[in-house]
């Protein structure tokens, strides 16, 4: 109506766009500006309410400044003096509706809240200009009225009508309030906007063309390119029939309501679209690895790994060391037991972890470790929220910082709940058996030698004779020395093997603990951050769909 362009919006397209706008507002939440968010919700509600009304009426509003002659133009279109025209300004205080056709329109006007209603008796065939059946024409209060209530009422009704007809005159067509507060603000509704330059009987034909060209230029500046400006005069009747013809065309199409609502959805979506980024950066691997290292240090994983290695070495010595000195090692406290991590399959609940008995005895994280965790979480949030608008970046940073002591409790629970035991190596049993054999050998040699010493002391050695020898060395001595030296040598070799096995065991347990810590990082930090990014993505996609209607 206002330009050479226009698109028909189907009911399905309009419903889908409104649903996308509502979904975007729900997904964006507090990260979208409150004013634009509330306005979008109002648009969605308006679409639902307007499309629920039965009937194919087209609501057209004549809006203009004081003295533009819109009430006189309204009466000319109606064919009777329905609207009050006078010298006193402002004249129109409440909207007045003129209705063409017999289709019930009460529910629609109740929704618009227009009380003054006039039914127009028009020929059934509509005459040479076409039928206006289905047209609801409103004469609005002046938008520049001295009465605040009049201006508020005009603005309220303009939010609900299907087609705007801006009525201006040669004196006020360049008024900044018209262009800045209305035309520019409703630029997205160029398909449902018409401009009328009224009272052209005061101008010469050349001046009319000059004013019309200047008004087209102003409309283009306001965001309505190639606008069609109608020149009318109620006094001479110029342009009134053309205006009536355009209104008849609008009514015949029965698409103005959906087009206006689509413009509202599009405008709201584009306003909100400025508050989301083009894409979501995501959580990158380096930031996550840095966070995992910091959390592992904070949770005491290096301390636990060292305890596992010491515990492995002590257990290896106890199982493979010289049998006559093993008992000494059993008197030493076990590292994992001191940390209260010696259970073979520890399972604790969150309540247990928060209680004294459910926690480990690991020392609390040092200030340096806590600072490393804070730095890692900030870096992860900065990388995940880069290029996002400030509210979204702040939401990402907040999500990356678990409140209170929940993170520390979760880390301690992860450590306590990780099994730090594994199957004993086979070589422990083999070496243990060999050590027992060597110990028995040494004991047998010692007892054998003691027997010969005792027999010699009782001078009975001649009865039993000399002990057997291995070469020149008595067998009992060979058994004693061989058992002792073999056991000590095997104990030394076992210690060397235990150090190698302890390092291997430490690496295995380090992987287990880091897997548990990584699960905590995923649940407490990464997932909340990704949820914010998912909300941002859902908001962006939904706004794009709504803006393309």
């Amino acid at each position: 109506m206002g330009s050479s362009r226009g698109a028909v919006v189907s009911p399905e397209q309009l419903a889908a766009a409104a649903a996308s706008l509502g979904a975007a507002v729900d997904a964006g939440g507090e990260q979208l500006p409150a004013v634009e968010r509330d306005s979008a919700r109002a648009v969605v509600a308006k679409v639902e309410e307007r499309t629920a009304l039965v009937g194919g009426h087209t609501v057209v509003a004549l809006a203009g400044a004081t003295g533009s002659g819109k009430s006189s133009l309204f009466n000319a279109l109606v064919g009777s003096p329905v609207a009050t025209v006078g010298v006193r300004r402002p004249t129109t205080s409440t909207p007045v509706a003129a209705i063409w056709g017999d289709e019930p329109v009460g529910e629609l006007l109740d929704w618009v809240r227009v009380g003054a209603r006039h039914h127009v008796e028009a020929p059934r065939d509509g005459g040479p200009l076409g039928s206006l059946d289905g047209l609801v024409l409103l004469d609005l209060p002046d938008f520049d009225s001295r009465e605040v209530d009049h201006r508020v009422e005009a603005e309220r009704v303009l939010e609900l009508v299907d087609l705007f007809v801006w009525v201006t005159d040669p004196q006020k067509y360049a008024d900044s309030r018209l262009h800045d507060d209305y035309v520019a603000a409703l630029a997205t509704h160029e398909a449902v906007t018409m401009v009328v330059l009224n009272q052209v009987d005061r101008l010469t034909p050349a001046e009319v063309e000059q004013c019309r060209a200047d008004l087209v230029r102003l409309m283009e500046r306001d965001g309505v390119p190639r606008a069609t400006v109608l020149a009318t005069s109620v006094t001479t009747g110029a342009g009134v029939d053309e205006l009536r013809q355009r209104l008849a065309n609008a009514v015949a199409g029965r698409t103005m309501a959906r087009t206006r609502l689509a413009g509202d959805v599009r405008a709201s979506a584009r306003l909100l679209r400025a508050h989301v980024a083009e894409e979501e950066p995501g959580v990158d691997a380096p930031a996550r690895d840095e966070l995992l290292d910091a959390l592992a240090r904070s949770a005491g994983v290096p301390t636990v790994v060292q305890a596992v290695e010491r515990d492995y070495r002590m257990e290896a010595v106890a199982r493979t060391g010289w049998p006559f000195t093993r008992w000494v090692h059993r008197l030493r406290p076990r590292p994992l037991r001191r940390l209260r991590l010696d259970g073979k399959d520890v399972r604790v609940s969150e309540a247990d972890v928060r209680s004294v008995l459910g926690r480990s005895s690991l020392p609390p994280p040092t200030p340096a470790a806590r600072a490393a965790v804070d730095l890692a979480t900030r870096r992860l949030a900065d990388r995940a929220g880069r290029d996002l608008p400030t509210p979204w970046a702040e939401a990402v940073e907040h999500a990356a910082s678990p409140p209170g002591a929940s993170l520390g409790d979760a880390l301690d629970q992860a450590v306590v709940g990780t099994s730090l035991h594994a199957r004993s190596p086979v070589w422990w049993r083999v070496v243990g058996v060999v050590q027992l054999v060597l110990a028995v050998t040494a004991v047998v040699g010692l007892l054998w030698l003691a027997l010969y010493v005792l027999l010699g002391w009782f001078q009975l050695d001649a009865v039993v004779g000399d002990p057997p020898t291995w070469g020149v060395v008595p067998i009992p001595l060979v058994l004693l020395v061989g058992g002792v030296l073999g056991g000590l040598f095997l104990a030394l070799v076992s210690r060397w093997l235990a150090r190698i096995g302890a390092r291997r065991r430490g690496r295995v347990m380090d992987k287990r603990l880091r897997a548990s810590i990584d699960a905590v990082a995923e649940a407490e930090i990464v997932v909340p951050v990704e949820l914010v990014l998912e909300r941002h993505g859902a908001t962006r996609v939904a706004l794009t769909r709504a803006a393309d209607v």
Side-chain angles (χ1 to χ4, degrees):
M1 298 300 299
S3 68
S4 60
R5 296 181 292 123
V8 177
V9 180
S10 69
E12 294 76 15
Q13 290 175 323
L14 178 60
S20 296
L21 181 60
V25 172
D26 293 338
E30 297 297 328
Q31 279 64 59
L32 297 176
V35 175
E36 286 87 344
R37 190 172 67 244
D38 294 340
S39 176
R41 288 198 178 101
V43 168
V44 174
K46 181 169 68 173
V47 171
E48 294 176 352
E49 294 170 359
R50 181 67 173 91
T51 54
L53 296 174
V54 179
H57 295 92
T58 300
V59 183
V60 180
L62 297 182
T66 303
S68 61
K70 59 180 176 56
S71 295
S72 298
L73 186 60
F74 178 86
N75 291 334
L77 292 171
V78 173
S80 60
V82 176
T84 303
V85 180
V87 178
R88 184 178 60 87
R89 298 289 185 261
T91 302
T92 305
S93 59
T94 58
V96 178
I99 306 156
W100 279 261
D102 297 329
E103 187 176 6
V105 72
E107 187 178 0
L108 175 60
L109 289 179
D110 290 342
W111 179 68
V112 183
R113 285 189 288 172
V114 174
R117 307 171 186 182
H118 173 76
H119 190 272
V120 180
E121 295 293 340
R124 289 295 178 182
D125 59 1
L129 300 179
S131 175
L132 291 178
D133 281 359
L135 173 64
V136 178
L137 186 64
L138 303 180
D139 181 26
L140 300 187
D142 302 330
F143 63 75
D144 62 347
S145 172
R146 295 189 301 270
E147 299 292 335
V148 176
D149 293 342
H150 295 184
R151 298 198 303 268
V152 171
E153 182 67 6
E155 293 171 358
R156 182 191 67 80
V157 177
L158 282 175
E159 289 292 328
L160 303 176
V161 300
D162 304 328
L163 172 64
F164 315 110
V165 179
W166 299 115
V167 181
T168 185
D169 61 84
Q171 292 181 331
K172 293 186 177 182
Y173 74 88
D175 182 55
S176 61
R177 180 167 176 79
L178 167 66
H179 291 277
D180 296 340
D181 294 350
Y182 291 94
V183 178
L186 297 171
T188 54
H189 305 292
E190 37 110 349
V192 289
T193 301
M194 190 185 305
V195 183
V196 173
L197 179 63
N198 198 25
Q199 301 176 358
V200 294
D201 57 287
R202 300 179 181 181
L203 305 175
T204 65
E207 292 173 336
V208 170
E209 292 303 320
Q210 181 180 359
C211 288
R212 192 206 301 261
D214 195 27
L215 185 52
V216 169
R217 179 187 61 80
L218 292 174
M219 295 294 292
E220 183 174 0
R221 184 203 65 180
D222 296 335
V224 186
R226 298 184 297 277
T228 300
V229 178
L230 303 180
T232 62
S233 171
V234 176
T235 302
T236 64
V240 176
D241 287 342
E242 183 180 1
L243 175 59
R244 185 180 287 110
Q245 178 66 66
R246 289 181 175 270
L247 294 178
N249 294 342
V251 172
R254 293 182 179 269
T255 61
M256 288 295 103
R258 293 197 301 271
T259 306
R260 162 66 203 272
L261 294 173
D264 286 337
V265 172
R266 187 167 52 248
S268 182
R270 288 175 180 174
L271 283 176
L272 291 174
R273 187 65 178 81
H275 299 283
V276 296
E278 295 298 326
E279 59 181 6
E280 299 77 40
V283 179
D284 56 13
R288 183 162 181 166
D289 292 341
E290 181 182 359
L291 176 63
L292 178 58
D293 291 338
L295 291 177
R297 291 195 300 273
S298 177
V301 170
T303 302
V304 176
V305 171
Q306 292 175 3
V308 167
E309 293 179 358
R310 291 197 305 270
D311 196 81
Y312 181 95
R313 291 194 297 268
M314 292 179 63
E315 183 70 16
V317 170
R319 301 279 293 274
T320 65
W322 202 33
F324 302 109
T325 58
R326 289 182 185 177
W327 63 273
V328 177
H329 296 284
R330 297 187 184 276
L331 298 178
R332 299 174 58 184
R334 301 294 293 272
L336 289 180
R337 186 174 301 169
R338 295 179 63 182
L339 296 178
R340 303 186 64 187
L341 298 173
D342 59 334
K344 291 186 177 182
D345 190 16
V346 179
R347 292 291 184 269
V348 292
S349 65
E350 183 176 354
D352 294 330
V353 172
R354 294 182 182 277
S355 66
V356 176
L357 295 179
R359 301 204 54 144
S360 68
S361 295
L362 286 168
T366 63
R370 289 194 295 268
V373 172
D374 293 340
L375 180 60
T377 53
R378 283 199 301 271
R379 286 181 177 174
L380 184 142
D382 290 342
R383 293 180 183 179
R386 65 180 181 271
D387 300 330
L388 294 181
T390 300
W392 289 100
E394 291 177 350
V396 169
E397 183 177 359
H398 179 73
S401 304
S406 62
L407 180 60
D409 289 344
L411 291 175
D412 197 80
Q413 182 180 10
V415 173
V416 173
T418 302
S419 176
L420 301 178
H421 291 267
R423 187 172 55 184
S424 300
V426 177
W427 70 269
W428 282 8
R429 293 192 292 272
V430 173
V431 173
V433 171
V434 174
Q435 284 284 32
L436 290 176
V437 172
L438 291 175
V440 170
T441 301
V443 170
V444 169
L446 178 61
L447 294 177
W448 199 345
L449 288 177
L451 178 62
Y452 274 97
V453 171
L454 183 62
L455 292 176
W457 186 69
F458 285 105
Q459 297 181 357
L460 297 175
D461 51 342
V463 177
V464 297
D466 295 330
T469 62
W470 183 48
V472 296
V473 182
I475 295 297
L477 183 60
V478 171
L479 294 177
L480 174 61
V481 175
V484 172
L485 294 180
L488 293 176
F489 175 76
L490 190 57
L492 292 176
V493 173
S494 298
R495 285 177 178 269
W496 176 71
L497 293 175
R499 285 195 294 270
I500 297 175
R503 288 193 294 269
R504 185 180 295 111
R505 179 67 63 83
R507 288 192 294 269
V508 171
M509 297 307 163
D510 183 72
K511 290 182 180 179
R512 289 187 185 179
L513 290 168
R514 284 179 173 270
S516 300
I517 298 298
D518 186 63
V520 173
E522 179 78 13
E524 297 288 336
I525 298 175
V526 176
V527 168
V529 169
E530 290 179 342
L531 287 177
V532 175
L533 297 179
E534 288 177 5
R535 285 200 302 110
H536 180 274
T539 303
R540 174 177 54 80
V541 172
L543 289 177
T544 301
R545 291 174 179 171
D548 290 340
V549 63

